[in-house]
Amino acid sequence: MSRFVMISPDAAFGQRVRLAISGLPGSMQSFAGTPLAKTPEEVLGVISDGAPQVILLGPGVNLDEALRLASAFDVQHPDISLVLVRETDPDLTLTAMRCGIRDILAPDAEPDTIRVLLERACQSAASRRRSISPSSAPEEPLGRIIAVAAAKGGVGKTTVATNIAVGLGRIAPMSTVLVDLDTQFGDVDTVLRIVPEHTLKDAVTGAAAQDTMVLKTLLSVHPASIYALCAPSDPADSNRISGEEITHMLRQLASEFRYVVVDTAPGLGEHTLAALEAATDLVLLCGMDVPSVRGARKELDVLDKLQMTSQKRHLVVNNATRDSGLSIQDIEATLGAPVNLAIPRSKALAYSTNQGEPLLHQRSRDKAAKALHQLVDRFDPESAQLRKGLHRRAGV
């Protein structure tokens, strides 16, 4: 089956596309597209082995004709993703998305970039195919929203959140997104060593708030096969983002991604509460010190009073060590609940954060990596380790 169809007279671009898909299942058919077919039937009629998942409207194709064809595909065949190959600007992006274009690719994109974008387009096509299938109607359309929280800063919340996202990226490549919800001082961009073109402020306003496909174009891509939505660069932008906007944005992402990992700000501010209200899972972190444990207990008490008890809770002790003066049993007694996982103190973990390369992206055998893998396993419904029970510890 041809998963991909390329319409373009540009042979050099076609070679880069073929190189990009060389490791992907399926094949590609290509056509010059001069002149461009006027209807979806004309395009699909010359494809030899069934409807494709992705059609690339490549360099050399007339823009107006491409947008008209995309509009027709969007109405008649919404389960096929159309990708426009064009130098872009904000006006063209909005126009293209409204016409049914699922993504825009730069004409000079390298094969690695092309591969990531085509995988994303295939994920979108598969998602839309499931949504219009009668057999999928009773299924719950939302992915898991995993909120990583802590009562106080300095317990490694961002480090844990980024590693969860990277670990889930192996389970669900290109279907995991990490959201930095520390709207004032978030540093997911630093920990992942990326420079985002767009931030959380862009994602909750304008066209992105109305169209999930526009929202997806604002996400940054990380080599670990995950997406990231980074915090605003200006802390003052935090005051311009409401809790309602956060809730809406997270649900948008959950409709398209299998996993949405949220790195919240310390405490229980408006944005964090909005994330916890939308979350299916809460990872609550504390350190092995009395103030951190007491803060976690207070946070649990507040959540219970607010009746935010619908999430599956995962209580995690970070930087665990035997010589802190506290034991896991002491922490459990204070929290009034079992600790599900302890991540041991690790120089490798701290070093990886400072280097901007999450530990789980390095395939490390460090003891902290083993514990982080166990934490990731808790969110994979098919994982054998998840079925072993809730009370699991590692490294202490």
Side-chain angles (χ1 to χ4, degrees), residues 280-300:
T280 59
D281 295 81
L282 167 63
V283 177
L284 183 62
L285 287 180
C286 70
M288 292 198 78
D289 59 273
V290 172
S292 179
V293 176
R294 292 186 64 187
R297 173 56 190 263
K298 291 178 181 178
E299 184 158 344
L300 287 173

Side-chain angles (χ1 to χ4, degrees), residues 87-97 104 198 207 214 217-218:
E87 294 292 350
T88 187
D89 61 68
D91 291 336
L92 174 59
T93 298
L94 184 57
T95 300
M97 295 301 170
I104 299 179
H198 306 281
V214 176
T217 67
L218 306 183

Side-chain angles (χ1 to χ4, degrees), residues 204 241-251 270-271 274:
V204 298
I241 301 173
S242 70
E244 290 78 8
E245 289 172 330
I246 294 296
T247 300
H248 176 67
M249 180 267 298
L250 292 177
R251 287 175 177 164
E270 178 188 8
H271 297 151

Side-chain angles (χ1 to χ4, degrees), residues 112-133:
D112 286 347
T113 301
I114 296 173
R115 178 187 62 79
V116 169
L117 186 140
L118 291 180
E119 280 287 87
R120 180 168 68 189
C122 287
Q123 291 276 354
S124 176
S127 175
R128 286 174 175 268
R129 195 160 292 174
R130 287 193 300 268
S131 70
I132 63 178
S133 171

Side-chain angles (χ1 to χ4, degrees), residues 352-363:
S352 69
T353 300
N354 291 335
Q355 293 298 304
E357 186 175 5
L359 195 62
L360 294 193
H361 194 216
Q362 303 174 18
R363 300 188 181 275

Side-chain angles (χ1 to χ4, degrees), residues 115-121 123-124 168-177 216 220-227 256-258:
R115 178 187 62 79
V116 169
L117 186 140
L118 291 180
E119 280 287 87
R120 180 168 68 189
Q123 291 276 354
S124 176
L168 291 173
R170 293 183 182 176
I171 296 171
M174 310 313 299
S175 193
T176 298
V177 58
K216 290 180 71 174
S220 301
V221 180
H222 186 269
S225 297
I226 65 171
Y227 293 95
E256 292 289 334
F257 291 91
R258 181 174 170 184

Side-chain angles (χ1 to χ4, degrees), residues 297 300 313 315 328-329 331-340 391:
R297 173 56 190 263
L300 287 173
R313 294 182 180 179
L315 302 184
I328 295 295
Q329 289 76 17
I331 295 173
E332 291 176 329
T334 301
L335 296 180
V339 169
N340 301 121
H391 190 77

